[in-house]
Amino acid sequence: MKRIYLLLILLLSVSLGSKPIEDKDIYASVVNWTDLFISSSVKETIPKIVFDEEDPEFSGKNTATSQGKAHSMARKKAREKLRVRLSQRLESILFNADYTVYEYTQVNQQARLRLNSYIGSEKEEYDFQFVKNVLEAKASLHIKGKEGILAHLPVEYGIESVPEFSEEVVPVEFSGLVVDARHLNVKRALFPKIQTDRGLDIYSPLYVKEAYAMETGYIVYREDQTGKGTEAKVGKNPYFVLALGTAGKNQTDLVIPTDEAAKLLSHPETRKNLTRCRVLILVSR
């Protein structure tokens, strides 16, 4: 009976599809940790159209002389609000176990300059929908990709080798790593680390290749491993491990058993796959 119940749960999750893991702020600006983008939306009232020069409201505040002008004014106001909200949301994201993005830029001058340049370069993508007398506007910023946030934050990548263990373990090749942290109160971050219960880091920016971090994202969070895109991230044969707990000031890093890490890192191709950012973290909502 238990097997049938578990099978039904699995089939239900597949049929319904896996929703992305998101964090929202007080303005409902969203960080999508599954598809890796930030988005925000606003509604802007379209200015009143007054084309009669004899009308007391002609050329007044929040009025326009044509529909085209009214729409243009609404789009401009919406863009200004959305750029501020996206910028605020970006700076509030946890960078790693020690800093938010804003805090990181305060201790790293190069990061501050590059982030300012990125925000000023207007990388946002907009969608405008006019519904009666209201403009519904949405804007988004990519986290990964050539125009994404990761490409504009200076980080030390790939300056160390993925550790190897001395334990005698039969080498098995795995296409990636899936860490199940759904039972933990883990905080999402751009650069979480994974370490053993002995304090050894087995996954960090120091081990990965920059090109892969830019293209696929250093980390992806999902609610389950059955959704679309999982195989593209961690391959067909990933290693599954249950996290023991969280670590770091911001509780973003994950701890796994040392013996599990030894099995994972026993094969050189598996270690190479970790440098390609083939890592997925399962979290609850």
Side-chain angles (χ1 to χ4, degrees):
M1 184 67 183
K2 185 176 180 180
R3 289 183 179 179
I4 295 175
Y5 174 73
L6 291 175
L7 180 60
L8 288 173
I9 292 296
L10 177 61
L11 291 174
L12 182 61
S13 66
V14 173
S15 63
L16 292 178
S18 179
K19 293 182 179 180
I21 294 298
E22 296 180 339
D23 289 333
K24 295 182 180 181
D25 65 10
I26 60 173
Y27 299 107
S29 298
V30 174
V31 181
N32 184 317
W33 291 106
T34 301
D35 301 312
L36 297 178
F37 66 85
I38 304 173
S39 66
S40 188
S41 58
V42 297
K43 291 184 178 181
E44 192 68 38
T45 301
I46 300 172
K48 181 179 179 181
I49 300 174
V50 181
F51 52 85
D52 184 355
E53 294 184 4
E54 300 299 324
D55 193 307
E57 293 186 276
F58 182 78
S59 296
K61 188 177 181 180
N62 297 323
T63 66
T65 56
S66 68
Q67 185 183 65
K69 180 65 175 177
H71 285 186
S72 178
M73 291 170 64
R75 281 194 294 265
K76 182 180 178 181
K77 286 185 178 181
R79 281 177 181 268
E80 292 173 350
K81 291 180 180 178
L82 287 170
R83 295 197 72 224
V84 170
R85 289 189 182 184
L86 287 177
S87 177
Q88 292 173 335
R89 192 68 187 94
L90 168 55
E91 292 191 333
S92 69
I93 293 176
L94 289 177
F95 181 80
N96 58 19
D98 297 313
Y99 305 110
T100 63
V101 169
Y102 174 76
E103 291 167 343
Y104 180 67
T105 62
Q106 298 306 295
V107 298
N108 186 317
Q109 185 178 8
Q110 184 185 11
R112 180 74 263 171
L113 294 174
R114 290 184 61 177
L115 188 63
N116 285 343
S117 175
Y118 175 72
I119 293 173
S121 61
E122 300 187 13
K123 301 293 185 182
E124 303 90 357
E125 293 182 358
Y126 293 93
D127 178 64
F128 297 116
Q129 300 291 331
F130 291 95
V131 181
K132 295 183 179 180
N133 66 330
V134 174
L135 168 63
E136 297 179 354
K138 183 177 181 180
S140 60
L141 282 172
H142 294 286
I143 293 177
K144 63 181 180 179
K146 292 181 179 179
E147 302 299 330
I149 295 164
L150 295 183
H152 294 80
L153 281 175
V155 177
E156 284 190 313
Y157 290 107
I159 62 175
E160 296 182 15
S161 298
V162 178
E164 299 180 39
F165 286 75
S166 58
E167 285 90 339
E168 293 185 5
V169 179
V170 177
V172 178
E173 180 182 348
F174 295 99
S175 60
L177 171 63
V178 177
V179 181
D180 191 344
R182 287 174 290 190
H183 57 297
L184 300 172
N185 184 26
V186 60
K187 302 290 181 61
R188 271 81 81 166
L190 294 176
F191 296 103
K193 293 191 296 185
I194 299 171
Q195 59 186 225
T196 70
D197 50 11
R198 297 177 187 172
L200 176 66
D201 292 341
I202 66 162
Y203 186 68
S204 88
L206 299 180
Y207 302 147
V208 308
K209 296 179 180 179
E210 181 175 5
Y212 284 94
M214 300 296 134
E215 184 62 27
T216 68
Y218 169 81
I219 203 74
V220 165
Y221 296 90
R222 297 186 67 92
E223 188 176 20
D224 60 62
Q225 66 272 19
T226 59
K228 180 181 178 182
T230 298
E231 186 176 315
K233 182 62 176 173
V234 294
K236 295 181 179 181
N237 180 41
Y239 189 84
F240 288 85
V241 61
L242 186 69
L244 295 174
T246 60
K249 183 182 74 175
N250 290 326
Q251 299 299 297
T252 62
D253 299 343
L254 293 173
V255 179
I256 67 172
T258 297
D259 59 342
E260 297 279 9
K263 295 176 185 177
L264 167 70
L265 302 177
S266 64
H267 199 287
E269 286 301 314
T270 305
R271 297 194 294 273
K272 186 181 294 185
N273 284 332
L274 290 189
T275 70
R276 296 167 176 164
C277 300
R278 293 191 170 182
V279 179
L280 173 69
I281 297 176
L282 300 180
V283 294
S284 58
R285 297 184 182 281

